[in-house]
Amino acid sequence: MTRTSLPLRAAALSCILITLSGCATVPETGRRQVLLIDSAQEAQMGLQSFQKIKRDTPVSRDSEANAQLQSVGRRIANVVSIPNADWEFVLFESDEPNAFALPGGKIGVNTGILPITQTEAGLATVIAHEIAHVTARHGAERMSQDLLVQVGGTALSTVLGSQSPVARDLAMQAYGVGTEVGVMLPYSRTQEYEADRVGLLYMARAGFDPNAAIEFWERFQARNQSRGTRTPAFLSTHPLDDARIAQLRGFLPQAMAEYERARR
């Protein structure tokens, strides 16, 4: 065994042990995921980040929009269960049509997305999607992936220690690009599809018509097309609109069955 192979094998073994010890299953989908952060720690980090965002970003004073956000958010939160969740829904004053979720049940919605949601069911599409990110613990999963990539990078740097600086830098750059495009971005898209699928079930169980999700994403697609922005699929953290809408149509029958049960 060569001297350089020893740290590589040790790092690889460490990654395997970490991965095996941190395996979990995503609710609703059954997908296996690696989680190296416990839920209490994850929730605390989410709370700290959310408090900072609230200090740095203006909160909307629109009473009607805030009331709708609280009503829809609570309805959906009532049909899910997650440890250490302290649900909070905040409407931020921002023209960017966006929403986000942080671990522990912290959901932010920008006023810029309201012209696209248009209705309660449209808003439910957005909130249910974000809540699905929380219940699937996508934040902890991404942090765990980052940790494993860092471990791999450290191992590679050790192995390349005897190489020339130019060769070492090229190899590390290739590793960085390869892990971003080949690992992190696809995982991000996987999580987005998963949040779409699970969010559709959540909004249905809360009594919102899942068909509204298709209509919302069609409006979002029309907005994107009007601006002429389109990121190549392999470089996008989110699915392209056509693919996302097609996936949602495939999930619709199951969601409609949940919706009909909720209406009885």
Side-chain angles (χ1 to χ4, degrees), residues 97-117:
N98 195 23
F100 63 91
L102 291 173
K106 306 304 178 183
I107 309 295
V109 177
N110 289 353
T111 53
I113 206 169
L114 298 183
I116 307 174
T117 59

Side-chain angles (χ1 to χ4, degrees), residues 124-141:
T125 300
V126 173
I127 296 175
H129 174 95
E130 299 304 335
I131 285 179
H133 277 308
V134 176
T135 61
R137 298 192 62 195
H138 285 161
E141 185 177 23

Side-chain angles (χ1 to χ4, degrees), residues 5-175:
S5 69
L6 286 172
L8 180 60
R9 287 172 182 247
L13 179 59
S14 298
C15 286
I16 292 171
L17 292 175
I18 290 172
T19 300
L20 290 175
S21 66
C23 281
T25 302
V26 178
E28 306 291 346
T29 69
R31 179 177 66 84
R32 300 291 287 171
Q33 61 183 170
V34 175
L35 297 176
L36 307 178
I37 300 168
D38 67 60
S39 59
Q41 181 185 12
E42 179 190 18
Q44 182 59 34
M45 288 188 289
L47 174 61
Q48 292 173 351
S49 296
F50 202 58
Q51 288 174 333
K52 184 178 187 307
I53 293 170
K54 288 192 292 184
R55 288 195 300 269
D56 297 344
T57 309
V59 174
S60 173
R61 297 180 180 275
D62 186 325
S63 59
E64 184 177 348
N66 271 290
Q68 185 183 66
L69 173 61
Q70 300 307 317
S71 174
V72 173
R74 294 296 168 187
R75 277 179 63 178
I76 299 171
N78 286 339
V79 303
V80 306
S81 176
I82 181 172
N84 301 302
D86 179 17
W87 296 106
E88 185 177 0
F89 305 92
V90 177
L91 184 64
F92 291 101
E93 196 66 52
S94 172
D95 292 335
E96 180 68 24
N98 195 23
F100 63 91
L102 291 173
K106 306 304 178 183
I107 309 295
V109 177
N110 289 353
T111 53
I113 206 169
L114 298 183
I116 307 174
T117 59
Q118 295 186 1
T119 65
E120 271 199 340
L123 182 59
T125 300
V126 173
I127 296 175
H129 174 95
E130 299 304 335
I131 285 179
H133 277 308
V134 176
T135 61
R137 298 192 62 195
H138 285 161
E141 185 177 23
R142 287 302 297 266
M143 286 186 279
S144 301
Q145 291 161 2
D146 286 340
L147 178 59
L148 290 174
V149 168
Q150 290 172 19
V151 170
T154 300
L156 179 61
S157 179
T158 302
V159 170
L160 295 172
S162 61
Q163 303 296 315
S164 70
V166 173
R168 187 167 60 248
D169 289 347
L170 286 174
M172 292 303 294
Q173 289 173 20
Y175 176 79

Side-chain angles (χ1 to χ4, degrees), residues 174-214:
Y175 176 79
V177 173
T179 53
E180 181 66 18
V181 176
V183 179
M184 303 305 288
L185 289 177
Y187 258 111
S188 182
R189 290 191 292 272
T190 295
Q191 291 173 345
E192 285 299 312
Y193 280 132
E194 195 163 60
D196 283 347
R197 176 183 176 183
V198 176
L200 206 63
L201 296 177
Y202 287 166
M203 68 181 291
R205 291 170 187 168
F208 295 101
D209 186 349
N211 285 291
I214 307 292

